[in-house]
Amino acid sequence: MKWKPEVHYIQLVVKTGFPAAFQSCMIALGGMSVQRLVNSFGSSTMAAYVAANRVDSVAIQVIVSIGTALSVFTGQNIAKNQYDRIREALYKTLGVMVGASIFIASMVLIFRVQLMTLFLDANESGEAIGIGCTYLTIIGVAYVIAGVMQSYQNVIRGAGDVNTCMVAGLTELSGRIVFAYLLSGTLGVTGIWIATPLSWSCGCVIPVIRYYSGKWKHKRLA
């Protein structure tokens, strides 16, 4: 075994990992900022937000997992310059994403009350359940946007263009905070819920533009 560290690979790990680490830190701070805004609307809204987020975190895993698979596939094929396979995989993934998003959204919308009562008592938290159902309705309809965003972003990430992914993630985060604070002033707590799909739309624009520019093909890891 070679016990001497290879500087090139250390640099590669840092170069690849730092943007993702920085993005994760900023998302955590952004989540705290949005949580503070949610808390200002009272205990029922707080309870609804926590419960609905638990449902959303499970539902969104299907979309995230499909996107991760596309990222791995892209990394495997870009080393061999098989861009046609990557393009074909992207379009097929988009089809799967749209179908999966519609199915997940339908299940969330149909069973949103039952899902909320898994975490909240129907007799004691009726107001919170109603608020949470509104959140799930808005977020469920927007899952298609999340699916498109994850598809393009994971092609870019799989190609090694991690800085673009970081910028897209920070754009999404900034949009969520800005829209939440702006819309909550006129629409109340519903404005905070609407901010999420709007931020997904912001985060979707950058990887889509980057993909069709073709510049991601020159960002491979080495």
Side-chain angles (χ1 to χ4, degrees):
M1 295 178 63
K2 294 183 179 180
W3 293 98
K4 183 181 179 180
E6 297 187 45
V7 177
H8 169 70
Y9 290 109
I10 294 175
Q11 292 175 337
L12 185 60
V13 169
V14 173
K15 177 183 176 181
T16 307
F18 177 78
F22 179 75
Q23 180 182 343
S24 296
C25 291
M26 295 305 297
I27 288 174
L29 292 173
M32 292 169 60
S33 178
V34 173
Q35 182 70 62
R36 177 179 178 275
L37 181 60
V38 170
N39 293 349
S40 67
F41 284 88
S43 58
S44 293
T45 302
M46 290 169 56
Y49 183 68
V50 172
N53 255 331
R54 291 175 180 173
V55 176
D56 176 49
S57 64
V58 174
I60 202 73
Q61 285 306 311
V62 177
I63 296 172
V64 172
S65 298
I66 296 173
T68 301
L70 178 60
S71 177
V72 174
F73 182 87
T74 300
Q76 292 173 337
N77 284 273
I78 198 169
K80 299 180 180 180
N81 296 320
Q82 294 180 325
Y83 299 111
D84 290 341
R85 293 193 70 196
I86 295 173
R87 183 175 63 252
E88 182 182 359
L90 170 63
Y91 292 143
K92 288 184 177 180
T93 299
L94 284 170
V96 173
M97 282 287 199
V98 171
S101 300
I102 292 174
F103 175 77
I104 294 168
S106 299
M107 293 298 100
V108 169
L109 292 175
I110 293 171
F111 299 107
R112 59 187 182 275
V113 175
Q114 291 83 352
L115 291 170
M116 288 298 297
T117 55
L118 292 174
F119 306 101
L120 298 172
D121 191 311
N123 297 320
E124 299 179 1
S125 306
E127 182 182 2
I129 291 174
I131 296 172
C133 286
T134 302
Y135 174 85
L136 291 177
T137 299
I138 294 172
I139 207 78
V141 172
Y143 279 147
V144 172
I145 301 174
V148 174
M149 179 181 68
Q150 285 288 324
S151 297
Y152 282 95
Q153 196 171 96
N154 276 286
V155 167
I156 303 301
R157 181 178 290 111
D161 196 358
V162 291
N163 289 330
T164 298
C165 291
M166 181 180 70
V167 172
L170 295 179
T171 302
E172 177 190 347
L173 170 63
S174 301
R176 185 182 181 192
I177 295 173
V178 171
F179 285 127
Y181 277 87
L182 286 178
L183 296 178
S184 63
T186 54
L187 301 177
V189 70
T190 303
I192 304 176
W193 309 157
I194 295 174
T196 298
L198 289 178
S199 68
W200 286 348
S201 299
C202 292
C204 187
V205 171
I206 292 176
V208 169
I209 293 175
R210 186 69 167 180
Y211 174 81
Y212 288 108
S213 74
K215 294 180 180 179
W216 56 276
K217 298 178 181 178
H218 310 294
K219 293 291 184 177
R220 69 183 64 189
L221 301 175

